[in-house]
Amino acid sequence: MLSIAPMTAGQSRYYTDLGREDYYTRGGEPPGRWTGDGAASLGLEGTVSPADLQAVFAGFHPGGRKLVQNAGRETRQAGLDLTFSAPKSVSIAWAAETSERRTAIDSCHRRAVDAAVLHAQQAAAWTRRGRGGGRLERADLVVAAFDHHTSRAQDVQLHTHALVLNIGVRADGTTGSLKTDDLFRVKMALGATYRAELAHGLRQELGYKIVPRTKGLFEIAGVPETLRDSQSTRHMEIRDALGHDTALDPAGAAMAALHTRSTKGHIDREALLKKWNAEFGREGWDRTHLVGEKTRDRTERERARLADRAVSRALGEDRAWRNDRLTQPVFRAHDITRFAAQAATDGRVSAADVLQAVERRLQHLPGLDRLGRIGAFDIYATRDTISQERSLIAHADEMHNGYHRGLTAKAKRAMLRSARDANLGSEATGALEHITGDGSGLRILNGRAGTGKTTILRTASSAWRKSGYRVIGAAVSGRAARGLETSAGIDSATIEMRRRQMTPTWQGRVKHSLNQLRREAFGKRTYRYEPLKFDRRTVLVVDEAGMASTSDLAFLVGKARRAGARVVLTGDDRQLPAIDGGSPFGFLTKRYGSAELTINRRQKPMWLREAVFHFASGNTRAALTVLQKQRRTHVERDSAAAVQRMALEWSRDVATPVQEKLMMAGTREQVDQLNIAAQLKRRAKDELRGHPLRHGTTQFFENDRVCFRKNDYRLDVRNGDFGTIERATSGLLGRGQLRVRLDTGRRVSLNLATYGHIELGYAVTAHRAQGATVTKAFALTGPETASAELAYVQLSRATLDTHLVTTAVQRPWQSPLQQGNSHDQSLSALAQAMRRSSRKTLATETQLQLDQHTPDLER
């Protein structure tokens, strides 16, 4: 894990104290050490002295010479604190091992930190020079690294503060301030590089078995999850906070620490080691449980082959590799490094092997195109991506420039009467005429959240059918497809299903035949296998098109163009983009124009409508100010406390039915924590009944809210469907049985042994919430995860009320009291983060901007 925090010259005393005493030396921690080529150029080598550190913090050479123009100013940015933290199992192994092996683990960790610092220097160390700072020059970094082994709660935690000073040493020996924003851009690559090198060292030098996790994380085998949790979550505090008088179940133990972190005391290293090993013993664990693995030294050729495979996985060329790969249309070298290093955390290759493989790929460019340069970084795209985009644009251009007959005169008159009767207004009526009129075969409806797109589609679909057209719907998610079908009356399925229906395979034909034999055996009606086909009397409606990928839209638009069908894309270019691949909806909207919907019909209170308007317009500070005046913003000290605050606010609202209030978060981990917390709150109120039915680490009770995670057409459930458990039984042979009443009113019975894609449904990610409407919403966010699109989706779901919970700006030099009193400061930081866009720029779009020399690309 890597976190980055800015430092100012005024905090130099904090870091010099760390280097002299406090929680670095009194507990037996090693002193700081200088690293980075820039430090050596300035004569800074070996142990960090407080006087030297204070000088370079202020921008001076220890000899007194100014190194940067603003040296000595209290407000100058002194640099960045890059904190590299080892996986918890590594820290536990360090504490449990012999002195000799502890030293070896320390060495592996330091080398991993140094590898990441070296990559930072190669990828993102730049200074500005020349008139107006218009010329970028490479620079060497000056870094003071402080290794540490405990957390503030005195849990074992191996980590290093790598203080990157805001001083770059150029090739000619001159110095200047760094362009520090580039270090933030390569943060994920640096963290992945650190973990890949650490895994390699632990496997090759100490023989530990490495267990890769998702997103480039790993653990060493033999350290159970319960022990890792007990050393990272202050187990007893969690239990007390949740009101338990018994041990936590595995799901509860997975939650993060809840209470204020204490200031670190000065405990002798040997005393801490005894304390930690005593805690391990109470869990029934010691170092003999660590799992070793036979290793061998691989040849340079073998390592190169493995590293090249990791690069192929990062670029999505290995079709069997679904995780840890690039999903954006355009990318930089450090993006490839990030995902390649994440694919290499099994310990078989080093960080240097991965970086060399990336460099080889970029030198020869097989399957890649270099589009140009933005700021300090070269921009690339895969040729597959460029081909898909060109195919989509070619099909769309032909449809846009072609002619498609719209409604009959009778159907149009009936449609306009319906619009008047429904009091749709001129904006919505204009949108109806746009998507149903004569002319272009490609029509786009771009509407803000809550502007009534579904009502327009329902009216339009009725008019199309009266004119003799067949209306077919498609959407990325099963829930959106179901919503389009039930609310707009359009026969709908997911885009994935539509693609399968239109490109039949022999496997699909065999499966269909077997299903028909089964139906015939039970005396049911059978059906012929007929692939879905478009014709000139077909209208294809793609809902939530902003989440559709380039590949999906290229396929659907291509099929419609060849058949002479009409395509209507509906969505909101301000909402979250496609998860996988490019997200061309915004580009198509600009290229071909659209009917725009701006009148908000969802939010009832004027203050909430005003806040949503500001978020949609990008005025995030004004939006947060509106929420703050309504006392709807809550700032907590850390993510764990924010989770508990949200669960508390959610639980306090007893007037809103549980199915009408929804919590949203930016990460899966936070969603899991919120679901557990909400369930515990309901258990405390006796709102859940029956004995728990365990499924994995989750417990289900009668009356629990659940969410389905996968489409199943036999059960007739869709990914994103919500429901309430009416009955939970163990069933025969321990197979859990659930009867769930869906929010649509229909009941479904399922066996968890055959359909296990179900989870608690009190909280969801923002992507899953997109398209949902509830009475009351609770949004958990923070500067680390926030974006303009995420904020807009989270804050536009509710009709009556929305609460926002965020984390305080963390400054290591501030006391917990100071951090707790930074409400306005934290909201300002959040507002700034919410202005970041997660929109995925197409390769075609980027190339056009580069060709036109757009000056503000770097933003």
Side-chain angles (χ1 to χ4, degrees):
M1 176 181 174
L2 168 63
S3 63
I4 302 181
M7 308 179 297
T8 64
Q11 281 92 46
S12 61
R13 176 62 184 275
Y14 170 81
Y15 288 100
T16 55
D17 282 349
L18 294 186
R20 185 171 59 244
E21 48 181 5
D22 193 29
Y23 65 84
Y24 278 105
T25 54
R26 287 193 184 179
E29 299 288 2
R33 56 190 174 87
W34 291 108
T35 186
D37 292 344
S41 299
L42 297 177
L44 297 170
E45 297 179 304
T47 300
V48 176
S49 72
D52 289 350
L53 185 61
Q54 191 167 2
V56 292
F57 248 88
F60 293 96
H61 189 278
R65 174 169 53 94
K66 288 180 67 171
L67 298 175
V68 291
Q69 290 183 355
N70 60 355
R73 295 182 187 174
E74 280 285 308
T75 56
R76 74 176 294 270
Q77 183 180 357
L80 300 175
D81 180 351
L82 278 61
T83 304
F84 295 91
S85 300
K88 182 57 69 175
S89 60
V90 177
S91 297
I92 291 173
W94 177 89
E97 285 284 20
T98 63
S99 175
E100 181 180 357
R101 288 180 69 84
R102 275 201 303 273
T103 300
I105 294 173
D106 276 331
S107 296
C108 292
H109 169 70
R110 290 193 189 111
R111 281 200 302 275
V113 171
D114 290 345
V117 169
L118 178 61
H119 182 48
Q121 181 167 294
Q122 295 170 339
W126 300 87
T127 62
R128 293 188 182 275
R129 186 142 65 168
R131 187 174 181 179
R135 190 171 77 250
L136 293 178
E137 289 189 28
R138 288 198 174 274
D140 291 337
L141 297 179
V142 180
V143 182
F146 291 87
D147 302 323
H148 190 221
H149 300 80
T150 63
S151 71
R152 286 181 174 268
Q154 299 298 352
D155 292 333
V156 59
Q157 182 57 62
L158 175 59
H159 63 281
T160 293
H161 291 272
L163 309 185
V164 179
L165 283 306
N166 193 8
I167 299 167
V169 182
R170 305 185 186 100
D172 61 3
T174 61
T175 56
S177 296
L178 294 173
K179 189 172 176 288
T180 54
D181 55 339
D182 285 341
L183 288 168
F184 281 97
R185 287 190 175 96
V186 302
K187 172 189 171 184
M188 302 301 289
L190 298 183
T193 301
Y194 160 76
R195 293 190 297 273
E197 182 64 27
L198 179 61
H200 178 68
L202 293 171
R203 174 176 172 149
Q204 293 300 119
E205 295 185 26
L206 288 117
Y208 290 125
K209 182 178 180 180
I210 303 298
V211 183
R213 304 294 188 192
T214 59
K215 297 184 179 180
L217 303 177
F218 76 90
E219 300 289 350
I220 57 177
V223 182
E225 184 178 0
T226 53
L227 181 60
R228 300 199 303 267
D229 290 339
S230 70
Q231 279 295 310
S232 60
T233 61
R234 296 189 292 284
H235 194 69
M236 295 301 292
E237 290 185 6
I238 295 174
R239 190 180 69 183
D240 293 343
L242 295 175
H244 276 219
D245 57 1
T246 58
L248 282 176
D249 53 44
M255 298 182 65
L258 305 176
H259 283 35
T260 56
R261 54 182 186 173
S262 58
T263 56
K264 192 167 298 186
H266 303 296
I267 302 179
D268 178 77
R269 166 66 59 79
E270 292 303 318
L272 281 172
L273 289 171
K274 289 180 180 178
K275 168 183 174 289
W276 291 328
N277 280 280
E279 291 172 355
F280 302 161
R282 286 195 291 272
E283 296 283 339
W285 185 91
D286 60 32
R287 68 186 186 90
T288 62
H289 290 83
L290 291 169
V291 178
E293 185 175 37
K294 289 184 179 181
T295 60
R296 63 180 179 86
D297 291 332
R298 287 181 167 80
T299 65
E300 184 176 346
R301 184 174 181 178
E302 287 177 313
R303 296 200 311 274
R305 179 176 55 80
L306 291 169
D308 286 338
R309 184 183 300 173
V311 173
S312 294
R313 289 174 172 177
L315 293 169
E317 296 167 348
D318 185 344
R319 301 302 179 189
W321 186 262
R322 298 295 299 172
N323 297 319
D324 297 331
R325 61 188 176 90
L326 283 160
T327 58
Q328 61 263 41
V330 296
F331 47 85
R332 298 158 174 82
H334 60 80
D335 295 316
I336 306 177
T337 299
R338 168 194 171 183
F339 289 103
Q342 288 182 183
T345 49
D346 57 4
R348 293 189 293 173
V349 296
S350 67
D353 295 326
V354 173
L355 293 171
Q356 289 167 10
V358 173
E359 186 176 355
R360 285 194 298 272
R361 189 61 179 271
L362 295 180
Q363 285 178 344
H364 301 291
L365 296 179
L368 297 179
D369 276 347
R370 179 185 176 277
L371 304 181
R373 191 173 184 83
I374 298 178
F377 301 102
D378 289 331
I379 307 298
Y380 302 90
T382 68
R383 288 174 190 153
D384 283 347
T385 294
I386 295 171
S387 175
Q388 287 178 356
E389 290 180 8
R390 288 175 178 170
S391 175
L392 170 61
I393 292 170
H395 292 314
D397 280 348
E398 189 168 337
M399 291 190 70
H400 178 70
N401 296 325
Y403 183 84
H404 189 281
R405 184 171 297 281
L407 305 176
T408 63
K410 182 178 180 181
K412 184 174 182 180
R413 287 194 298 270
M415 180 186 75
L416 295 177
R417 278 198 306 272
S418 297
R420 285 194 300 271
D421 293 343
N423 196 26
L424 289 185
S426 59
E427 183 182 71
T429 302
L432 267 171
E433 293 182 299
H434 174 78
I435 64 175
T436 60
D438 295 346
S440 168
L442 176 65
R443 298 298 172 96
I444 301 175
L445 178 61
N446 186 24
R448 295 186 179 184
T451 53
K453 294 187 290 293
T454 302
T455 302
I456 291 173
L457 290 177
R458 182 170 62 248
T459 307
S461 65
S462 175
W464 279 319
R465 285 191 292 270
K466 288 177 181 177
S467 296
Y469 289 101
R470 178 181 55 150
V471 187
I472 295 173
V476 173
S477 70
R479 183 182 182 188
R482 186 189 290 278
L484 184 63
E485 184 164 292
T486 57
S487 300
I490 298 173
D491 176 29
S492 301
T494 63
I495 294 177
E496 180 183 5
M497 174 61 75
R498 292 302 189 207
R499 293 188 70 155
R500 288 205 301 267
Q501 290 172 343
M502 300 177 75
T503 53
T505 62
W506 68 266
Q507 295 98 326
R509 293 180 185 276
V510 170
K511 185 176 180 180
H512 176 80
S513 298
L514 292 175
N515 285 336
Q516 300 316 302
L517 288 174
R518 188 182 302 113
R519 293 180 66 85
E520 187 176 26
F522 284 95
K524 295 183 178 180
R525 181 181 175 183
T526 59
Y527 300 90
R528 293 179 60 188
Y529 188 84
E530 296 183 359
L532 177 64
K533 294 181 180 179
F534 295 158
D535 56 32
R536 298 189 63 82
R537 306 300 295 175
T538 300
V539 176
L540 172 66
V541 177
V542 183
D543 197 21
E544 299 289 353
M547 296 184 71
S549 68
T550 302
S551 172
D552 286 338
L553 288 186
F555 176 86
L556 292 174
V557 173
K559 288 286 188 181
R561 196 271 306 167
R562 285 186 284 270
R566 167 170 291 196
V567 174
V568 177
L569 306 178
T570 72
D572 185 351
D573 61 1
R574 303 163 190 82
Q575 295 193 34
L576 290 164
I579 295 176
D580 193 9
S583 189
F585 180 74
F587 174 78
L588 298 177
T589 298
K590 292 178 183 177
R591 188 176 181 90
Y592 306 118
S594 65
E596 298 284 331
L597 297 175
T598 61
I599 300 174
N600 188 340
R601 302 171 184 272
R602 178 179 294 164
Q603 281 74 40
K604 306 306 179 187
M606 287 305 300
W607 65 267
L608 186 54
R609 189 173 295 186
E610 181 185 359
V612 172
F613 173 80
H614 285 314
F615 275 119
S617 304
N619 194 351
T620 55
R621 192 63 187 95
L624 292 178
T625 298
V626 171
L627 295 176
Q628 188 176 9
K629 287 181 179 179
Q630 297 294 323
R631 298 186 177 182
R632 296 306 195 272
T633 59
H634 313 278
V635 178
E636 298 298 328
R637 65 188 171 276
D638 55 27
S639 178
V643 165
Q644 288 308 302
R645 179 55 180 263
M646 179 176 281
L648 177 63
E649 295 295 331
W650 179 90
S651 180
R652 280 176 175 169
D653 177 29
V654 296
T656 306
V658 68
Q659 65 269 23
E660 281 296 320
K661 54 184 183 178
L662 184 66
M663 295 184 286
M664 293 166 284
T667 68
R668 283 291 318 166
E669 181 182 11
Q670 291 173 331
V671 167
D672 292 341
Q673 293 169 358
L674 287 168
N675 275 321
I676 294 165
Q679 186 186 60
L680 291 169
K681 295 287 186 185
R682 296 196 72 196
R683 286 174 64 184
K685 293 181 178 181
D686 291 329
E687 294 178 357
L688 304 180
R689 303 183 300 271
H691 296 290
L693 173 61
R694 188 178 298 281
H695 178 59
T697 60
T698 304
Q699 292 187 125
F700 294 117
F701 293 84
E702 292 180 6
N703 215 30
D704 252 331
R705 289 286 290 167
V706 290
C707 178
F708 292 83
R709 292 292 308 278
K710 188 176 181 179
N711 298 326
D712 190 306
Y713 291 90
R714 290 175 299 176
L715 292 173
D716 194 19
V717 295
R718 303 292 183 269
N719 182 7
D721 279 352
F722 286 88
T724 302
I725 295 177
E726 290 186 328
R727 181 180 299 166
T729 57
S730 296
L732 296 175
L733 302 176
R735 294 184 176 182
Q737 303 274 348
L738 293 179
R739 188 177 72 185
V740 180
R741 184 182 71 255
L742 300 177
D743 287 354
T744 60
R746 191 173 61 83
R747 288 175 169 81
V748 58
S749 296
L750 57 96
N751 187 323
L752 292 176
T754 56
Y755 181 92
H757 309 283
I758 192 168
E759 63 183 24
L760 294 175
Y762 303 104
V764 295
T765 61
H767 272 93
R768 193 171 297 278
Q770 187 157 301
T773 301
V774 293
T775 301
K776 195 165 185 176
F778 302 81
L780 177 61
T781 187
E784 287 287 327
T785 59
S787 70
E789 293 80 7
L790 184 72
Y792 179 47
V793 169
Q794 287 182 319
L795 275 300
S796 61
R797 297 304 95 201
T799 59
L800 293 182
D801 200 1
T802 298
H803 282 253
L804 183 145
V805 183
T806 187
T807 51
V809 174
Q810 296 295 321
R811 300 288 188 249
W813 50 85
Q814 291 179 334
S815 69
L817 180 61
Q818 288 174 315
Q819 292 181 9
N821 292 333
S822 58
H823 194 109
D824 290 339
Q825 180 185 10
S826 299
L827 290 183
S828 295
L830 180 62
Q832 183 176 358
M834 284 177 166
R835 287 195 288 270
R836 293 192 305 249
S837 176
S838 61
R839 180 175 174 264
K840 297 180 178 181
T841 305
L842 300 187
T844 305
E845 196 173 3
T846 301
Q847 188 66 71
L848 288 172
Q849 292 174 321
L850 285 165
D851 292 344
Q852 296 167 4
H853 304 288
T854 305
D856 61 348
L857 274 178
E858 199 169 345
R859 291 187 307 182

